[in-house]
Amino acid sequence: MIEYWHLFLAFLIPGVVGYGGGPASIPLIEYEVVQRYGWMTTPEFGEVLALGNALPGPISTKMAGYIGYEVGGVFGAIVAITATVLPSLVAMIILLKLLMRFKNSPKVKRMTTLIRPAIAILLGVLAFQFFTTSYEGAGLVQTMILIALSFFALERWHIHPAFVILGALSYGAIFLS
């Protein structure tokens, strides 16, 4: 029973403070799942993140469903998904009229602009952690090849991120087996 409460808290907290959901909440989920509760290692979390990015839909709910299922079965998945969705649902219901009334306010626009550097730092720290575990697991040459190929695939050739992730998984299966 306590495990379900921990699951609920682990996904409620990122849902509440993860501004905008999606990529902004990933470092927060990683902290709860890997560091606080120890349900996964950083490389395992990276694999779940890659899989979640390859599937359609919001990343945090997909991760909540998978991690919740791993920790507490079907009921664990339901608890984790509920905790992920609940803050947004409550905020939408309670604050929709208020936000619509002040959506053009300079203060509201400034708030959303000023939160972006904090999100960039959170994502940068997570990227560095993934780089470190990749370097330790695959070596510098393989990691640099994947970084270069991924960069060109995404930025130069405009390949969908899901295909880049599938390509990296294939590369790993072929060259790192």
Side-chain angles (χ1 to χ4, degrees), residues 6-20:
H6 287 163
L7 264 173
F8 185 80
L9 289 177
F11 286 95
L12 181 71
I13 292 168
V16 170
V17 297
Y19 176 79

Side-chain angles (χ1 to χ4, degrees), residues 19-20 23 34 48 60-61 81 102 110 119 123 128 139 143 165:
Y19 176 79
V34 174
V48 171
S60 57
T61 54
I81 291 170
F102 294 108
R110 200 169 347 160
I119 293 169
L123 290 172
F128 181 75
T143 300
I165 292 167

Side-chain angles (χ1 to χ4, degrees), residues 82-99:
T82 300
T84 301
V85 173
L86 193 62
S88 297
L89 181 63
V90 169
M92 283 186 347
I93 291 170
I94 294 174
L95 301 174
L96 186 59
K97 280 190 173 185
L98 184 64
L99 289 175

Side-chain angles (χ1 to χ4, degrees), residues 147-159:
I147 288 172
L149 287 173
S150 297
F151 176 79
F152 282 110
L154 291 167
E155 296 298 321
R156 185 76 146 179
W157 304 316
H158 305 289
I159 296 174

Side-chain angles (χ1 to χ4, degrees), residues 16-96:
V16 170
V17 297
Y19 176 79
S25 62
I26 292 170
L28 303 169
I29 294 170
E30 188 267 343
Y31 174 80
E32 296 293 327
V33 170
V34 174
Q35 295 176 28
R36 176 177 262 171
Y37 294 109
W39 292 321
M40 296 181 152
T41 64
T42 299
E44 290 170 335
F45 184 82
E47 291 171 8
V48 171
L49 178 61
L51 180 62
N53 274 322
L55 299 171
I59 185 69
S60 57
T61 54
K62 292 179 284 191
M63 293 182 77
Y66 179 83
I67 294 166
Y69 182 79
E70 286 293 313
V71 172
V74 173
F75 187 67
I78 292 169
V79 167
I81 291 170
T82 300
T84 301
V85 173
L86 193 62
S88 297
L89 181 63
V90 169
M92 283 186 347
I93 291 170
I94 294 174
L95 301 174
L96 186 59

